Amino acid sequence: EPLNRYETDFINTAEQVMQLVRDVNHDHTGVLLDTYHMNIEEKNSANAIRHVGDRLFHFHACGCDRGTPGNDHIEWDPIVAALREVKYDGSVVIESFTTDVKVIAKAASIWRQFEPSREDIAIKGLQFLRSKFK
Protein backbone atom coordinates (compact mmCIF):
# COMPACT_ATOMS: atom_id res chain seq x y z
CA GLU A 1 0.00 0.00 0.00
CA PRO A 2 1.50 3.31 -1.01
CA LEU A 3 1.18 5.68 1.94
CA ASN A 4 1.31 9.44 1.87
CA ARG A 5 4.53 11.37 2.47
CA TYR A 6 3.49 12.35 6.00
CA GLU A 7 3.52 8.69 7.06
CA THR A 8 6.53 7.35 5.13
CA ASP A 9 9.15 8.22 2.54
CA PHE A 10 9.40 4.62 1.31
CA ILE A 11 6.56 4.12 -1.21
CA ASN A 12 4.07 6.92 -1.85
CA THR A 13 2.71 6.38 -5.37
CA ALA A 14 1.29 3.72 -7.64
CA GLU A 15 4.34 4.04 -9.87
CA GLN A 16 6.68 3.37 -6.96
CA VAL A 17 4.69 0.40 -5.66
CA MET A 18 4.57 -1.13 -9.12
CA GLN A 19 8.36 -0.95 -9.30
CA LEU A 20 8.45 -2.95 -6.07
CA VAL A 21 5.94 -5.45 -7.47
CA ARG A 22 8.09 -5.86 -10.59
CA ASP A 23 11.24 -6.26 -8.47
CA VAL A 24 9.62 -8.96 -6.30
CA ASN A 25 8.36 -10.65 -9.47
CA HIS A 26 5.89 -13.06 -7.90
CA ASP A 27 2.30 -13.74 -8.96
CA HIS A 28 1.03 -13.38 -5.39
CA THR A 29 2.43 -9.88 -4.95
CA GLY A 30 -0.21 -7.20 -5.36
CA VAL A 31 -1.21 -3.72 -4.38
CA LEU A 32 -3.64 -2.14 -1.98
CA LEU A 33 -4.70 1.35 -3.05
CA ASP A 34 -6.36 3.80 -0.68
CA THR A 35 -8.32 6.88 -1.74
CA TYR A 36 -7.03 8.88 1.24
CA HIS A 37 -3.39 8.38 0.29
CA MET A 38 -4.05 8.75 -3.44
CA ASN A 39 -5.81 12.05 -2.74
CA ILE A 40 -2.52 13.38 -1.34
CA GLU A 41 0.08 11.73 -3.59
CA GLU A 42 -1.42 11.04 -7.00
CA LYS A 43 -2.12 13.63 -9.67
CA ASN A 44 -5.03 11.46 -10.83
CA SER A 45 -6.44 8.61 -8.74
CA ALA A 46 -8.13 6.93 -11.70
CA ASN A 47 -4.85 6.85 -13.61
CA ALA A 48 -3.11 5.38 -10.55
CA ILE A 49 -5.69 2.56 -10.53
CA ARG A 50 -5.12 1.99 -14.23
CA HIS A 51 -1.35 1.94 -13.69
CA VAL A 52 -1.68 -0.83 -11.10
CA GLY A 53 -4.21 -2.69 -13.26
CA ASP A 54 -4.61 -6.38 -12.51
CA ARG A 55 -2.12 -6.17 -9.62
CA LEU A 56 -4.78 -4.35 -7.57
CA PHE A 57 -5.60 -6.89 -4.87
CA HIS A 58 -7.48 -4.69 -2.34
CA PHE A 59 -9.07 -1.23 -2.26
CA HIS A 60 -9.73 1.19 0.60
CA ALA A 61 -12.42 3.82 0.11
CA CYS A 62 -12.53 6.75 2.47
CA GLY A 63 -13.00 10.48 2.35
CA CYS A 64 -10.19 12.89 1.65
CA ASP A 65 -10.02 13.55 5.41
CA ARG A 66 -10.28 9.84 6.33
CA GLY A 67 -13.99 10.29 6.93
CA THR A 68 -17.04 8.99 5.10
CA PRO A 69 -16.62 8.28 1.39
CA GLY A 70 -18.86 10.65 -0.52
CA ASN A 71 -18.80 13.31 2.19
CA ASP A 72 -15.71 14.86 0.67
CA HIS A 73 -14.24 16.40 -2.49
CA ILE A 74 -12.85 13.20 -4.06
CA GLU A 75 -14.06 12.60 -7.61
CA TRP A 76 -15.59 9.16 -7.19
CA ASP A 77 -17.03 8.60 -10.67
CA PRO A 78 -13.61 8.37 -12.37
CA ILE A 79 -12.38 6.07 -9.57
CA VAL A 80 -15.34 3.72 -10.01
CA ALA A 81 -14.88 3.79 -13.79
CA ALA A 82 -11.17 2.94 -13.45
CA LEU A 83 -11.91 0.06 -11.06
CA ARG A 84 -14.33 -1.34 -13.62
CA GLU A 85 -11.86 -0.74 -16.44
CA VAL A 86 -9.15 -2.84 -14.73
CA LYS A 87 -11.83 -5.44 -13.91
CA TYR A 88 -11.27 -5.15 -10.17
CA ASP A 89 -13.70 -7.52 -8.47
CA GLY A 90 -12.33 -7.48 -4.95
CA SER A 91 -13.63 -5.78 -1.86
CA VAL A 92 -14.06 -2.04 -1.55
CA VAL A 93 -13.48 -1.44 2.15
CA ILE A 94 -14.18 1.71 4.12
CA GLU A 95 -11.10 2.52 6.15
CA SER A 96 -11.67 5.32 8.57
CA PHE A 97 -10.48 6.25 12.02
CA THR A 98 -11.93 7.90 15.08
CA THR A 99 -10.42 9.31 18.24
CA ASP A 100 -11.94 6.39 20.21
CA VAL A 101 -8.91 4.10 19.97
CA LYS A 102 -6.17 6.34 21.34
CA VAL A 103 -3.15 4.34 20.12
CA ILE A 104 -4.38 4.22 16.52
CA ALA A 105 -5.60 7.83 16.65
CA LYS A 106 -2.17 9.00 17.75
CA ALA A 107 -0.34 6.89 15.15
CA ALA A 108 -2.61 8.16 12.34
CA SER A 109 -2.62 11.77 13.62
CA ILE A 110 -6.34 11.77 14.27
CA TRP A 111 -6.97 14.72 16.56
CA ARG A 112 -10.67 15.38 15.87
CA GLN A 113 -13.85 13.58 14.89
CA PHE A 114 -14.38 13.52 11.11
CA GLU A 115 -17.99 12.48 11.35
CA PRO A 116 -20.61 12.51 14.13
CA SER A 117 -20.16 8.79 14.83
CA ARG A 118 -18.57 5.56 13.64
CA GLU A 119 -22.04 4.40 12.66
CA ASP A 120 -22.40 7.43 10.35
CA ILE A 121 -19.18 6.48 8.59
CA ALA A 122 -20.34 2.89 8.10
CA ILE A 123 -23.99 3.50 7.22
CA LYS A 124 -23.63 6.61 5.07
CA GLY A 125 -20.41 5.35 3.50
CA LEU A 126 -22.00 2.05 2.53
CA GLN A 127 -25.05 3.81 1.09
CA PHE A 128 -22.78 6.06 -0.97
CA LEU A 129 -20.57 3.23 -2.25
CA ARG A 130 -23.58 1.09 -3.16
CA SER A 131 -24.99 4.00 -5.15
CA LYS A 132 -21.71 4.33 -7.06
CA PHE A 133 -21.14 0.62 -7.67
CA LYS A 134 -24.72 -0.41 -8.55
Side-chain angles (χ1 to χ4, degrees), residues 56-71:
L56 183 61
F57 284 15
H58 195 67
F59 193 80
H60 284 173
C62 62
C64 62
D65 61 354
R66 282 196 158 133
T68 305
N71 190 23

Side-chain angles (χ1 to χ4, degrees), residues 61 66-69 93-96 98 115-130:
R66 282 196 158 133
T68 305
V93 176
I94 297 173
E95 182 187 49
S96 187
T98 70
E115 306 294 350
S117 71
R118 293 179 289 188
E119 290 77 16
D120 279 343
I121 295 169
I123 293 166
K124 291 178 182 174
L126 182 58
Q127 287 171 343
F128 173 77
L129 292 172
R130 281 185 173 160

Side-chain angles (χ1 to χ4, degrees), residues 99-131:
T99 57
D100 297 337
V101 181
K102 302 300 179 204
V103 172
I104 294 173
K106 183 176 181 184
S109 299
I110 308 300
W111 314 119
R112 62 182 173 81
Q113 289 295 117
F114 300 124
E115 306 294 350
S117 71
R118 293 179 289 188
E119 290 77 16
D120 279 343
I121 295 169
I123 293 166
K124 291 178 182 174
L126 182 58
Q127 287 171 343
F128 173 77
L129 292 172
R130 281 185 173 160
S131 76

Side-chain angles (χ1 to χ4, degrees), residues 35-122:
T35 56
Y36 171 73
H37 297 293
M38 287 192 297
N39 173 65
I40 296 170
E41 296 299 335
E42 301 290 352
K43 297 287 187 190
N44 183 304
S45 295
N47 285 343
I49 293 165
R50 288 183 193 98
H51 185 71
V52 170
D54 65 357
R55 298 316 289 247
L56 183 61
F57 284 15
H58 195 67
F59 193 80
H60 284 173
C62 62
C64 62
D65 61 354
R66 282 196 158 133
T68 305
N71 190 23
D72 62 347
H73 68 78
I74 291 177
E75 294 183 38
W76 289 93
D77 290 337
I79 289 170
V80 171
L83 289 169
R84 286 190 173 123
E85 191 176 314
V86 301
K87 297 179 178 35
Y88 178 72
D89 65 355
S91 298
V92 175
V93 176
I94 297 173
E95 182 187 49
S96 187
F97 300 94
T98 70
T99 57
D100 297 337
V101 181
K102 302 300 179 204
V103 172
I104 294 173
K106 183 176 181 184
S109 299
I110 308 300
W111 314 119
R112 62 182 173 81
Q113 289 295 117
F114 300 124
E115 306 294 350
S117 71
R118 293 179 289 188
E119 290 77 16
D120 279 343
I121 295 169

